[in-house]
Amino acid sequence: MCHSQARASRRSEVRRGQAGFTLLELMVVVAIIAILAGAAYPRYMDAVGEARLADGRSALMALAGRLERCRTSTHSYVDCIDSPTPSEAGHYRITATLSPTEYRLTATHEGEARGMAMARFQQAFTLLEALVALLVLSVGLLGMASVQLESLRGAHVGYQRGLASLAAQDAVELLWSRLEAGRCPGLGAEEADWEARWRARIPGLQGRVEPAGDDCTYVVTLEWQASRLVDEGETSFVYTTRLPGEFP
């Protein structure tokens, strides 16, 4: 009668948890940057707009001062300034409607003030949408990659543990082949050959067959290093069997 016992190393679970937590931290940082950028960009554009408006107001006040000084000396606003006249920073074009007794100054944004304000709103809204879409896409891809990686890891671990079970059964068959007249056998030099044969299929395999007690019970222990597919650390498999016989 034989039964098997399996145990998995906890070190692999800790390392996988640390790797996933680091990636989660990265996604949280991306989300924070996206939120900050989405909130800051509209305010930045508003500040730019206010600076351009200040340029237009300054140009209007300067031209109004020139017109008043000109009328003081000529008693007329006509031909006091050129029209149109650009603002100092070039954001506005100032047009003047002049008569001997009155004037009218109009500041027009080079890209049309209302059109630019609407464009600023649309650009900020589009950027925010893009950042939210990027965040949602990143989370979705992260979830898909995590599911796929976990599936591959499970298949890989299952494959290696299946091989370990076959290697343990092979060691038991060797013990049965050396059983003579009810005396519990030992593998001797065949144990090294058995280990080398299965190491070709299980990378980094270290196997040993040891007696446990005086009732011809053996414990087959296999430990191996997982492949680079997933950092699983050391994995072990223990198989216990009992043969009909006694130790000499």
Side-chain angles (χ1 to χ4, degrees), residues 157-170 194 198 202 205 220 222-224 235-239:
V157 172
Y159 171 74
Q160 285 197 326
R161 294 186 68 80
L163 288 179
S165 178
L166 292 176
Q169 290 284 353
D170 185 33
W194 163 78
W198 283 99
I202 306 176
L205 176 67
V220 183
L222 300 99
E223 296 178 347
W224 67 91
T235 305
S236 62
F237 185 89
V238 178
Y239 191 96

Side-chain angles (χ1 to χ4, degrees), residues 78-208:
V78 179
D79 297 331
C80 286
I81 61 173
D82 296 330
S83 180
T85 301
S87 64
E88 183 178 358
H91 297 303
Y92 285 87
R93 184 178 69 255
I94 313 300
T95 57
T97 304
L98 306 176
S99 69
T101 58
E102 62 182 20
Y103 64 89
R104 180 183 182 87
L105 299 176
T106 304
T108 304
H109 196 282
E110 292 296 337
E112 292 297 333
R114 292 185 179 180
M116 287 298 295
M118 182 61 67
R120 286 198 303 272
F121 174 76
Q122 291 175 346
Q123 289 172 2
F125 187 70
T126 302
L127 177 62
L128 182 60
E129 284 184 329
L131 291 173
V132 172
L134 178 61
L135 176 62
V136 173
L137 179 61
S138 300
V139 174
L141 291 177
L142 177 63
M144 293 176 59
S146 177
V147 171
Q148 185 68 15
L149 182 61
E150 188 65 22
S151 176
L152 291 175
R153 188 201 66 80
H156 178 67
V157 172
Y159 171 74
Q160 285 197 326
R161 294 186 68 80
L163 288 179
S165 178
L166 292 176
Q169 290 284 353
D170 185 33
V172 173
E173 293 296 329
L174 289 175
L175 290 173
W176 276 98
S177 66
R178 297 172 64 88
L179 183 65
E180 295 180 358
R183 301 183 63 182
C184 299
L187 292 183
E190 289 190 47
E191 182 173 345
D193 296 337
W194 163 78
E195 182 182 13
R197 183 170 63 253
W198 283 99
R199 187 179 295 121
R201 296 175 173 85
I202 306 176
L205 176 67
Q206 293 182 350
R208 57 186 182 272

Side-chain angles (χ1 to χ4, degrees), residues 54-67 69 94 103 105:
D55 176 56
R57 294 191 188 101
S58 176
L60 288 173
M61 294 178 64
L63 289 177
R66 287 176 55 186
L67 286 170
R69 289 192 298 271
I94 313 300
Y103 64 89
L105 299 176

